[in-house]
Amino acid sequence: MAVDLLVFGPHPDDLEIGLGGTLAKLKRNGAHVVMVVASIPKDFEVRMEEAKRGAEILGCELRLLLDGGPRRLEDVKTCDLVGLLDGVVKEYKPAAVLTHSNADFHNDHLLIYNACLPTQRLAPFDFFSYHPTNCRPVPIAFHPKAYVDVTDTIDAKMHAITAHKSQFGGRGLDTEMYREFAHLQGRMIGVPYAEGLDVMRLTLA
Ligand SMILES: [Zn+2]
């Protein structure tokens, strides 16, 4: 099955935070989008339900890479993780792949970034990385090279983020900073809301 967009997120909520507006927009424009969540470290049932709800709000297909129960990415050998990501890329034959960026300090996020890099050898898909998905504002060296206008889908993004109740309301964390951040990125391209991407490989047709 060939899909338009294959997006990798280390945990439930990362894709909604990093790319929710972009995913909802592309889906609304007719793209086939598959969200691959790599692992759920704990509270498996709760977080799986939240992941399903988030994907449903964005209108995207959801797949869990390390399925069957709580798993930690750091318990998987690097070569096995690369093999798993290779398998998904071969199965879906995406036109574009998006992954977490390396401008992050969460080790699981870096593990996914590093395991995604070698998938580039499998096919000449376009390849992007999205902004680090911190729960709290921290200084991050991420410099977008491309922006997606998500003005029409910012509400879907915020709705999808708040579907992850165990991660935000339950821990007293504020989700509004993601709207504010999208607003700041929107200023870069003169629109109300945007999401920034780093471009790792792009074919200009
Ligand atoms: Zn994460």
Side-chain angles (χ1 to χ4, degrees):
M1 180 203 342
V3 302
D4 299 301
L5 205 65
L6 187 61
V7 295
F8 289 107
H11 313 110
D13 79 10
D14 286 313
L15 290 172
E16 288 85 339
I17 294 169
L19 276 174
T22 300
L23 300 183
K25 175 174 182 160
L26 293 174
K27 172 64 186 174
R28 285 183 191 181
N29 289 345
H32 184 176
V33 181
V34 178
M35 298 168 64
V36 180
V37 171
S39 78
I40 298 178
K42 58 182 182 178
D43 303 328
F44 185 82
E45 285 78 15
V46 170
R47 296 207 68 188
M48 189 68 213
E49 283 309 308
E50 291 173 350
K52 285 179 185 169
R53 183 71 187 124
E56 185 186 351
I57 291 166
L58 300 177
C60 301
E61 192 176 321
L62 174 69
R63 172 141 172 193
L64 180 61
L65 193 68
L66 301 178
D67 205 355
R71 301 276 300 276
R72 299 197 75 87
L73 278 172
E74 61 190 6
D75 294 332
V76 180
K77 286 183 179 171
T78 302
C79 60
D80 292 337
L81 192 55
V82 171
L84 286 169
L85 296 191
D86 276 1
V88 174
V89 169
K90 286 176 184 170
E91 179 182 339
Y92 287 108
K93 301 176 180 58
V97 171
L98 286 92
T99 186
H100 224 286
S101 90
N102 62 346
D104 200 316
F105 44 73
H106 192 312
N107 192 47
D108 285 356
H109 297 182
L110 294 173
L111 287 171
I112 287 301
Y113 169 80
N114 285 316
C116 263
L117 285 180
T119 66
Q120 292 178 90
R121 76 195 187 290
L122 299 174
F125 49 75
D126 291 343
F127 195 36
F128 303 90
S129 64
Y130 53 86
H131 194 281
T133 54
N134 317 85
C135 309
R136 296 178 174 85
V138 289
I140 287 293
F142 181 76
H143 307 293
K145 310 288 192 309
Y147 292 88
V148 180
D149 179 354
V150 299
T151 305
D152 292 339
T153 51
I154 185 66
D155 289 340
K157 173 189 175 98
M158 296 307 300
H159 188 192
I161 291 173
T162 52
H164 296 271
K165 292 188 178 67
S166 68
Q167 301 304 294
F168 296 101
R171 295 159 69 196
L173 294 174
D174 171 28
T175 57
E176 269 308 297
M177 73 171 191
Y178 302 118
R179 185 191 297 275
E180 292 161 6
F181 189 66
H183 183 51
L184 200 59
Q185 293 186 92
R187 286 188 176 274
M188 297 295 285
I189 56 167
V191 301
Y193 294 101
E195 288 172 344
L197 301 171
D198 197 359
V199 180
M200 291 141 82
R201 181 171 68 188
L202 177 64
T203 300
L204 292 174

